[in-house]
């Protein structure tokens, strides 16, 4: 009953925030970039909450549970490269470029910098495809949490969650996303921090964690895979449209600069709390390990938090999933309507954002109904959406911000990066082993940047 009350109150608050900002989102600029009036605290929280989904809490904790101390390279990369470096290297410049070119979306920024409507359409299409795939996995995770708490069918839970997010995003656009992200970020940080604090008390403090033995034997710990995951969950952020466009909303570069420390601290709390809780789970659950490592963190929460604490933690996990999914809905909707179709209408943007979330739910539900093996293969391809989007945008964003600009290089590297990511995803789903499959993201980045460099040098020689 406590869990139901906590989650119901949180969902009601999200809808209320959406309704509260409807009038401010009646213009295109209000809907897509919150009229560029977001301050430092809101910017830091909306960035952090969008960055870290429930994956970092549940899956990140499972990685630490399985791999032990070796997994801690991942939160180091998340904090230093995913948060701190993103704000310092890219945040202020992206904010300036978006204002100079009066761009409201990431594809539009490229379209205006390179004077190419076709480039805007291409990147908008890649955004829509990659993020819709990823959204389906996020919806599945949120549905599992809501379905478990309220004892309802997963398909029904998926549609409830999708509909609620679709409504508040459609009502308030970026305003709703920013403010609900802040609420969600507070729940995430407090939930995982509480879990870690109490778990440390049970296990005997940080000293005990230093000696924690991973659930897997040393010979099964793949350091190349861990390094690739560290890159995927940090460097990928530099090219993800739903995170890059957060800097569009800031009032100015000064806001981005002041938000840097807050965002970095948020990343530190969420990632380290999640991974260190995974180490604690390896110690506390040693005598009765869960059958599935993904259940390590939920099992730990049930063990150490009690009914009220477990309710808050379940709300934190749901908030983490929703804070990512709502941003994806807004970004996907704008990619289709604004970037690909060229429609400049808030009514169309509201409808597209709503439908993007419902479409993700339909895909998630359809996947849940498949036979187990086929569902696993399809879900693997969906997870490729994050890598595909980052692979398409990473090299173009970095090169453009640094001043190495070439329209041909942007197109070539975007296609090469997305194609490489998709090839690895499909191969994994089909259980075909490609070379260096455990470093698929690193290979995707290498291919994308190499193609960009070759195409850029070729255009310079003309």
């Amino acid at each position: 009953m406590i869990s139901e009350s906590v989650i119901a109150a949180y969902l009601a608050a999200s809808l209320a925030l959406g309704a509260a900002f409807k009038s401010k989102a009646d213009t295109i600029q209000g809907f897509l970039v919150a009229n560029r009036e977001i301050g430092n605290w809101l910017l830091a929280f909306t960035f952090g909450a969008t960055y870290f989904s429930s994956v970092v809490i549940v899956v990140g904790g499972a990685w630490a549970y399985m791999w032990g101390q070796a997994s801690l390279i991942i939160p180091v990369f998340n904090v230093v490269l995913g948060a701190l470096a993103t704000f310092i290297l890219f945040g202020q410049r992206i904010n300036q470029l978006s204002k100079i070119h009066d761009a409201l979306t990431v594809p539009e920024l490229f379209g205006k910098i390179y004077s190419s409507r076709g480039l805007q359409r291409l990147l908008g299409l890649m955004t829509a495809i990659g993020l819709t795939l990823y959204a389906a996995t996020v919806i599945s995770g949120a549905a599992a949490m809501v379905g478990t708490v309220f004892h309802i069918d997963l398909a029904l839970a998926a549609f409830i969650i999708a509909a609620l997010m679709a409504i508040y995003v459609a009502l308030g656009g970026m305003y709703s996303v920013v403010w609900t992200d802040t609420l969600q970020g507070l729940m995430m940080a407090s939930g995982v921090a509480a879990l870690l604090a109490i778990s440390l008390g049970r296990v005997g403090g940080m000293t005990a964690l230093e000696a924690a033995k991973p659930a897997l034997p040393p010979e099964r710990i793949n350091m190349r895979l861990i390094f690739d995951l560290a890159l995927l969950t940090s460097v990928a952020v530099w090219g993800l449209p739903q995170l890059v466009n957060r800097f569009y909303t800031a009032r100015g570069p000064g806001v981005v600069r002041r938000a840097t420390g807050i965002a970095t601290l948020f990343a530190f709390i969420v990632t380290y709390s999640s991974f260190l809780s995974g180490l604690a789970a390896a110690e506390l659950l040693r005598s009765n390990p869960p059958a599935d490592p993904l259940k390590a963190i939920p099992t730990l929460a049930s063990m150490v938090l009690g009914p009220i604490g477990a309710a808050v933690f379940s709300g934190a996990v749901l908030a983490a999933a929703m804070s990512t999914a709502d941003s994806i809905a807004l970004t996907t909707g704008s990619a289709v309507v604004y970037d690909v179709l060229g429609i400049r209408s808030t009514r169309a943007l509201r409808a597209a954002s709503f439908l993007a979330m419902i479409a993700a739910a339909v895909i998630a539900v359809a996947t849940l109904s498949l036979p187990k093996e086929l569902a696993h293969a399809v879900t693997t391809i969906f997870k490729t959406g994050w890598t595909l989007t980052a692979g398409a945008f990473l090299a173009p964003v970095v090169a453009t911000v640094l001043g190495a600009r070439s329209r041909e290089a942007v197109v070539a590297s975007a296609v090469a990066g997305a194609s490489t990511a998709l090839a690895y995803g499909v191969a994994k789903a089909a259980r075909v082993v490609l070379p260096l499959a455990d470093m698929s993201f690193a290979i995707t980045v290498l291919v994308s940047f190499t193609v960009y460099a070759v195409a850029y040098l070729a255009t310079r020689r003309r």
Side-chain angles (χ1 to χ4, degrees), residues 70-83:
S71 68
L72 294 184
I73 187 178
I74 298 175
V76 171
F77 274 45
N78 290 172
V79 173
V80 176
L81 298 178

Side-chain angles (χ1 to χ4, degrees), residues 166-183:
I167 290 170
Y168 74 71
V169 171
L171 285 172
M174 184 61 82
Y175 280 106
S176 290
V177 171
V178 167
W179 280 93
T180 54
D181 280 356
T182 300
L183 171 63

Side-chain angles (χ1 to χ4, degrees), residues 45 48-49 52 56-57 181-197 262 265-274 312-313 315-317 319-320:
F45 272 92
F52 299 111
V56 73
I57 299 175
D181 280 356
T182 300
L183 171 63
Q184 292 154 355
L186 289 169
M187 292 184 66
M188 287 170 60
S190 60
V192 294
L195 177 63
L196 175 61
I262 305 168
L265 177 61
F266 180 90
F268 179 85
I269 292 171
V270 172
T271 55
Y272 271 93
S273 293
S274 300
V312 172
F313 181 76
V317 174

Side-chain angles (χ1 to χ4, degrees), residues 97-171:
L97 287 173
S98 71
K99 291 180 178 179
I100 291 170
H101 296 281
D102 192 27
L104 302 182
T105 68
V106 176
E108 184 181 35
L109 179 60
F110 282 98
K112 288 190 171 182
I113 286 176
Y114 298 104
S115 302
S116 174
R117 181 78 181 91
L119 178 58
Q120 182 179 348
R121 288 194 180 98
L122 173 66
L123 296 179
L125 184 62
M126 288 183 171
T127 299
I129 293 171
L131 292 186
T132 298
L133 292 176
Y134 183 60
T137 65
V138 177
I139 290 291
S140 297
M145 175 60 70
V146 171
T148 301
V149 170
F150 289 97
H151 308 290
I152 59 177
D153 180 70
L154 287 182
L156 178 59
F159 279 113
I160 290 173
I161 289 298
L164 288 171
M165 283 188 287
I167 290 170
Y168 74 71
V169 171
L171 285 172

Side-chain angles (χ1 to χ4, degrees), residues 66-429:
M66 292 187 295
W67 302 327
Q69 298 286 336
S71 68
L72 294 184
I73 187 178
I74 298 175
V76 171
F77 274 45
N78 290 172
V79 173
V80 176
L81 298 178
L84 182 62
T86 302
F87 272 75
I88 292 175
L89 298 178
F90 303 104
Q92 294 181 55
R93 185 58 179 153
I94 288 170
N95 177 263
Q96 292 171 335
L97 287 173
S98 71
K99 291 180 178 179
I100 291 170
H101 296 281
D102 192 27
L104 302 182
T105 68
V106 176
E108 184 181 35
L109 179 60
F110 282 98
K112 288 190 171 182
I113 286 176
Y114 298 104
S115 302
S116 174
R117 181 78 181 91
L119 178 58
Q120 182 179 348
R121 288 194 180 98
L122 173 66
L123 296 179
L125 184 62
M126 288 183 171
T127 299
I129 293 171
L131 292 186
T132 298
L133 292 176
Y134 183 60
T137 65
V138 177
I139 290 291
S140 297
M145 175 60 70
V146 171
T148 301
V149 170
F150 289 97
H151 308 290
I152 59 177
D153 180 70
L154 287 182
L156 178 59
F159 279 113
I160 290 173
I161 289 298
L164 288 171
M165 283 188 287
I167 290 170
Y168 74 71
V169 171
L171 285 172
M174 184 61 82
Y175 280 106
S176 290
V177 171
V178 167
W179 280 93
T180 54
D181 280 356
T182 300
L183 171 63
Q184 292 154 355
L186 289 169
M187 292 184 66
M188 287 170 60
S190 60
V192 294
L195 177 63
L196 175 61
I198 297 174
S199 298
L200 283 176
R202 289 285 191 93
V203 81
M206 287 294 296
T207 304
L209 290 190
E210 291 173 4
K213 294 181 179 179
L216 294 181
E219 62 271 15
R220 290 185 60 189
I221 298 175
N222 185 339
M223 287 306 301
R224 292 201 311 187
L225 174 60
I226 294 173
F227 179 75
D228 195 61
L229 289 170
L231 288 178
L232 174 62
T233 57
S234 57
V235 174
V237 170
W238 301 351
L240 291 172
Q242 72 271 28
L243 287 164
V244 173
N245 70 5
R246 283 301 178 275
F247 298 114
Y248 289 31
T249 67
R251 287 194 295 267
V255 168
V256 179
R257 186 172 58 253
R258 291 190 295 274
T260 301
I262 305 168
T264 303
L265 177 61
F266 180 90
F268 179 85
I269 292 171
V270 172
T271 55
Y272 271 93
S273 293
S274 300
F275 277 78
L276 293 178
S277 293
L279 295 182
E283 286 294 297
L284 294 173
L285 304 179
R286 188 172 302 282
S287 61
N288 188 24
D292 184 348
L294 289 176
K295 295 187 180 298
I297 294 298
T299 302
L300 177 69
S302 298
M303 173 189 292
V304 305
L305 293 181
I308 295 177
V312 172
F313 181 76
S314 64
V317 174
L318 177 61
M322 289 181 64
S323 62
T324 298
D326 59 15
S327 298
I328 290 173
L330 181 61
T331 307
T332 303
S334 65
V336 173
V337 169
Y338 189 85
D339 294 313
V340 177
L341 300 179
I343 299 173
R344 304 293 190 263
S345 162
T346 53
R347 181 175 296 179
L349 285 169
R350 291 182 200 277
S353 298
F354 185 92
L355 292 174
M357 205 74 271
I358 300 302
V362 170
I363 295 171
V365 169
T367 303
L368 291 171
S369 65
L370 294 173
K372 186 175 180 180
E373 286 297 311
L374 184 56
H376 172 76
V378 173
T379 301
T380 299
I381 295 175
F382 289 167
K383 290 178 180 177
T384 303
W386 173 287
T387 310
L388 187 155
T389 310
F393 281 90
L394 186 55
V397 168
V398 173
T400 299
V401 167
L402 295 179
R405 299 179 181 178
S406 164
R407 182 175 63 189
E408 292 83 354
V410 168
V411 173
S413 65
V415 172
S419 299
T420 303
L422 188 60
Y424 271 107
V426 171
K428 185 176 180 181

